[in-house]
Amino acid sequence: MPPPLLYDLDQIDFSKPIFDIDAIRRINPQRNQMEHLTAIVHVDRDNHGVVGYLDVTEEEFWVAGHMPGFPLMPGVIICEAAAQLAGFYARKYDLLGGDFLGFGGMDEIRFRAPVYPGSRLILMARCTKLRPNIRAVNMVQGVVDGKMVFSGTIIGVPIKRETKSS
């Protein structure tokens, strides 16, 4: 049984993004094939939450190979999209510091239905544990056509440029 939704999506106006792709790019460093957000439509500063979406197109880099003739959005890309949403919030509102935000881990990720090209993947994230400059734990969820397609917990960690491995 899926968990309750983090936000009532009927109460959010998806026609008026708060942050479009250009505004997202000013915060998130991912580009080209690794950009997995289209817009941010809701920010909940009181609860450290955010709602956004990815319009999944036929031009996604994975369509030809996952799976040929029956494209399914890879779970790892769904998790990356959720991480980018949580990372956007953390960087925009300076929750963690660092030059970048990295994946620190995932727990209890469950995929409940496939995501196909032509879908709008609505993403939700809410920070449930925050240790500034160390890590943020986020509940994340994805919804397509009113149905929860994934849920779980992801951990974001700050990364500084000087920690680059050789």
Side-chain angles (χ1 to χ4, degrees), residues 9-21 38-42 51-53 55 120 122:
L9 298 177
D10 291 333
Q11 302 300 311
I12 296 173
D13 186 352
F14 286 84
S15 70
K16 295 181 182 173
I18 299 168
F19 300 100
D20 64 10
I21 189 65
T38 303
I40 308 292
V41 293
H42 179 74
V51 179
Y53 62 86
D55 286 327
R120 173 169 281 179
I122 298 170

Side-chain angles (χ1 to χ4, degrees), residues 34-149:
M34 288 308 294
E35 290 182 283
H36 298 300
L37 288 176
T38 303
I40 308 292
V41 293
H42 179 74
V43 171
D44 175 5
R45 295 289 309 275
D46 293 335
N47 296 299
H48 290 309
V50 62
V51 179
Y53 62 86
L54 170 64
D55 286 327
V56 183
T57 71
E58 293 284 343
E59 286 76 45
E60 307 296 338
F61 75 90
W62 49 264
V63 167
H66 197 271
M67 304 294 176
F70 190 72
L72 299 171
M73 188 173 186
V76 67
I77 301 297
I78 295 171
C79 291
E80 174 66 20
Q84 287 183 22
L85 179 71
F88 174 88
Y89 182 89
R91 292 200 35 84
K92 173 73 178 166
Y93 300 104
D94 197 26
L95 298 185
L96 286 173
D99 298 311
F100 298 101
L101 218 56
F103 244 132
M106 298 185 293
D107 289 311
E108 299 179 23
I109 299 293
R110 298 292 181 266
F111 299 102
R112 301 172 184 288
V115 178
Y116 304 105
S119 299
R120 173 169 281 179
L121 173 60
I122 298 170
L123 299 158
M124 295 173 272
R126 182 178 289 160
C127 184
T128 58
K129 293 179 189 168
L130 176 62
R131 293 185 62 201
N133 301 310
I134 297 175
R135 71 178 186 180
V137 178
N138 293 271
M139 290 177 48
V140 293
Q141 298 174 337
V143 173
V144 173
D145 295 329
K147 180 177 181 169
M148 187 176 295
V149 296

